[in-house]
Amino acid sequence: MSKSYTIAVAGATGAVGTKIVELLNGANLPIKEVKALASKRSVGKTIPFKDTTIVVEELTAEAFTGVDIAIFSAGGSLSEKFAPEAVKRGAVVIDNTSHYRMDENVPLVVPEVNPESLRDHQGIIANPNCSTIQMMVALEPIRQAFGLEKIVVSTYQAVSGAGAQGIAELENQVKAYSEGTPLKELKAEVLPSAGDKKHYPIAFNALPQIDVFGEDGYTLEEWKMINETKKIMSDDTIKVAATCVRIPVVSGHSESIYIEVEKETNVKALQELLANAPGVVLQDDPSQQLYPQAINSIDDKATFVGRIRRDLDNPKGFHLWVVSDNLLKGAAWNSIQIAEKMHALKLL
Ligand code: A2P
């Protein structure tokens, strides 16, 4: 008889953690028990799961005793502290934070792109950055078929990427504005980055800062997209540039992506390729005003691609618009897919 798993979700009460518990409900995994772990504040809260409820426990090292799979989404410092504790107790960790992503002993996995790298794991597997994941799902089929020399991406990212407090900040500001507070006086405490000194309103605004700045003028979010792309595609030679922007959308990240391919191709070939690519839904018909939209991506596991155009100056240059629910394919769903894949590959 095959084994059934005890699965712990660290950060189960958060924006991503809540989705992880929801998706475990229909996961293609034999599940014995789900443990919901969060801060002391949440201990005793209940979360519905299948036809029962799970009572939230405190995130501690001991909570991982007897756990087979631990999915972390409680922030990088908690992953740093507790992921090794979970591994020590025999669990395989799937980490949603950026903490372990560039560690050479940690596979960074998008199951549609590089599932085989799961075989190299040493206890921890990293789930890539939300913006990177959807870009990989859209671009890997193109790379396989036509080669990829260069990527220039600009993102339009939803506030839920900053967690439950990012959503609350946008909602509070919209409410305050509707009650008469002038735009520039809206109270901001979280965005653009909880870890930075200044905060600006996100309501009715666009903030070209996600995470903190490095000395080179790029933000850490931009560096995540650059470095993670090269690691996931196992190709250091791809040129990648990114500009990451937060916009007042609750969920669903959108990306304008410019690529340069190696072999000649055309829009129709790219459309056909992507229409049949794993995890992709092609929505590309300007005559019907059909293109991906953030609000239509919510609660959908797919990555939507549209607006595919040839560049006007470079015959090997193409433009695409790529949208996905950052809480699902960008986070929770990708983690569940990793767990399912590990089970299928008998790595658990
Ligand atoms: P809690 O709800 O008890 O604060 P989000 O990404 O939406 O901000 O969610 C963060 C998740 O991480 C929540 O589940 C939150 O639990 C959890 N978390 C935050 N700080 C801690 C902590 N110090 N110890 C354990 N869990 C934490």
Side-chain angles (χ1 to χ4, degrees), residues 11-16 37-39 41-42 45 59 73-75 78 162-165:
T13 52
V16 173
L37 310 177
S39 77
R41 297 178 289 273
S42 299
K45 278 189 188 164
L59 172 55
S73 196
L78 291 162
Q165 53 178 6

Side-chain angles (χ1 to χ4, degrees), residues 228-348:
E228 292 178 23
T229 293
K230 295 177 192 220
K231 179 167 175 176
I232 295 163
M233 289 183 158
S234 297
D235 185 352
D236 272 344
T237 67
I238 300 177
K239 298 175 192 127
V240 190
T243 302
C244 293
V245 181
R246 187 80 70 191
I247 58 164
V249 155
V250 173
S251 275
H253 285 354
S254 304
E255 299 176 347
S256 168
I257 305 177
Y258 168 74
I259 53 170
E260 287 175 8
V261 294
E262 283 162 4
K263 294 185 211 150
E264 293 272 344
T265 183
N266 56 53
V267 168
K268 194 155 176 291
L270 291 176
Q271 286 172 329
E272 277 172 15
L273 179 72
L274 289 168
N276 295 300
V280 174
V281 171
L282 184 75
Q283 292 183 327
D284 195 10
D285 187 354
S287 73
Q288 301 299 314
Q289 288 178 277
L290 178 68
Y291 39 75
Q293 296 178 40
I295 57 171
N296 296 334
S297 76
I298 294 173
D299 287 337
D300 200 307
K301 295 167 183 159
T303 295
F304 298 89
V305 183
R307 300 290 328 273
I308 304 177
R309 286 151 293 148
R310 190 195 284 278
D311 188 67
L312 297 178
D313 299 306
N314 182 349
K316 290 184 179 169
F318 293 88
H319 300 269
L320 306 89
W321 180 249
V322 176
V323 177
S324 193
D325 185 335
N326 53 298
L327 297 180
L328 292 194
K329 184 56 187 164
W333 174 234
N334 201 69
S335 316
I336 302 289
Q337 281 181 304
I338 289 173
E340 288 182 345
K341 197 80 203 172
M342 297 209 44
H343 172 63
L345 293 172
K346 302 199 175 2
L347 295 174
L348 289 169

Side-chain angles (χ1 to χ4, degrees), residues 131 155 157 207-210 219 221-222 225 242-246:
S131 302
T155 68
Q157 295 183 223
L207 295 170
Q209 180 191 354
I210 299 182
T219 61
E221 183 83 353
E222 290 158 355
M225 291 196 78
T243 302
C244 293
V245 181
R246 187 80 70 191

